[in-house]
Amino acid sequence: MAVQEKEHLEDAEFELPETRASIKVLGWLLAIGGSVGLFASAMLVIERIRLLEDPAYTPSCSFNPIVTCGTVMESWQGSLFGFPNPIIGVAAFPVVVTAGVVALTGAKLPRWFWLGLNAGALGGAVFVTWLFTQTTYFIGALCPYCMVVWVATIPIFVYTTGYNLSEGHLKAPAWLRKAVVESRGLIVTVWFLIIAILITIEFWDRWYLVF
């Protein structure tokens, strides 16, 4: 009993301060990150429609042979489920923004909602990571608006996971919860750095095409 009480007190000491900080940070991140992701997704949908209307149209996000969204949108990877990928973002990011706004008001959302949001964020993170590998290593082009979606999706996943761990919505040992919550910014930074380094290496001999 004494050991259990000690573990409970240690968990409480970790959870209480982290919960208050975490929900505020998460709320702003969801609201702002979701808005940015929604904007980029909507622009991609608009550009895709214009391409369908006029195959000769040059998208506003196509600047050169390397930095171009046209090549990516017209690839099979750009419509993995039979429709343009950005439609998923247009449907999903409003939910993220709403969750962020609700969290900032101080309203309590149920555990099932946070777990559902976490599952969706995980799916989004896996999807954008897969798209990164496809655009970098197979398509050979970088889509600006797509990369904006990556930048929005990855922190949303990391910080939502951190919040769910700190709240106990996701069960994990106290040391793991503490490590993830306290390292959220570092995790996102390392994730971005890995992507940037891999892109730099892959396009190293083609950067002259950008200018």
Side-chain angles (χ1 to χ4, degrees), residues 2-204:
V3 173
Q4 292 179 344
E5 289 178 1
K6 181 178 180 182
E7 291 178 348
H8 178 73
L9 289 174
E10 289 177 350
D11 288 348
E13 288 175 0
F14 167 68
E15 288 176 1
L16 290 177
E18 186 57 43
T19 297
R20 289 193 293 268
S22 158
I23 189 60
K24 184 176 181 180
V25 171
L26 180 63
W28 282 111
L29 180 67
L30 293 178
I32 297 174
S35 297
V36 171
L38 177 59
F39 169 77
S41 298
M43 290 303 298
L44 282 169
V45 170
I46 292 171
E47 294 298 333
R48 182 57 177 159
I49 292 173
R50 289 176 176 172
L51 265 177
L52 291 173
E53 293 175 341
D54 180 11
Y57 171 72
T58 300
S60 62
C61 47
S62 293
F63 303 102
N64 50 63
I66 298 298
V67 183
T68 172
C69 57
T71 303
V72 177
M73 287 191 294
E74 293 182 299
S75 67
W76 68 264
Q77 293 96 326
S79 301
L80 183 62
F81 301 105
F83 54 84
N85 294 337
I87 292 178
I88 299 174
V90 171
F93 281 119
V95 177
V96 175
V97 174
T98 301
V101 172
V102 172
L104 288 173
T105 65
K108 298 294 183 181
L109 293 169
R111 177 174 179 269
W112 63 263
F113 177 86
W114 287 116
L115 291 178
L117 184 65
N118 211 155
L122 172 60
V126 171
F127 192 40
V128 299
T129 301
W130 177 81
L131 287 173
F132 152 71
T133 64
Q134 295 300 303
T135 58
T136 303
Y137 298 107
F138 297 96
I139 300 175
L142 300 173
C143 167
Y145 286 134
C146 300
M147 290 190 288
V148 171
V149 173
W150 303 351
V151 170
T153 302
I154 291 170
I156 287 172
F157 164 64
V158 173
Y159 276 76
T160 301
T161 301
Y163 175 74
N164 278 326
L165 284 170
S166 68
E167 285 289 295
H169 296 159
L170 288 174
K171 302 302 180 183
W175 66 267
L176 178 59
R177 292 173 12 229
K178 181 177 175 63
V180 172
V181 173
E182 292 184 352
S183 304
R184 290 167 295 174
L186 178 61
I187 293 171
V188 172
T189 300
V190 171
W191 199 328
F192 285 160
L193 281 176
I194 291 173
I195 290 176
I197 291 171
L198 292 177
I199 288 176
T200 301
I201 293 173
E202 180 63 23
F203 290 94
W204 185 257

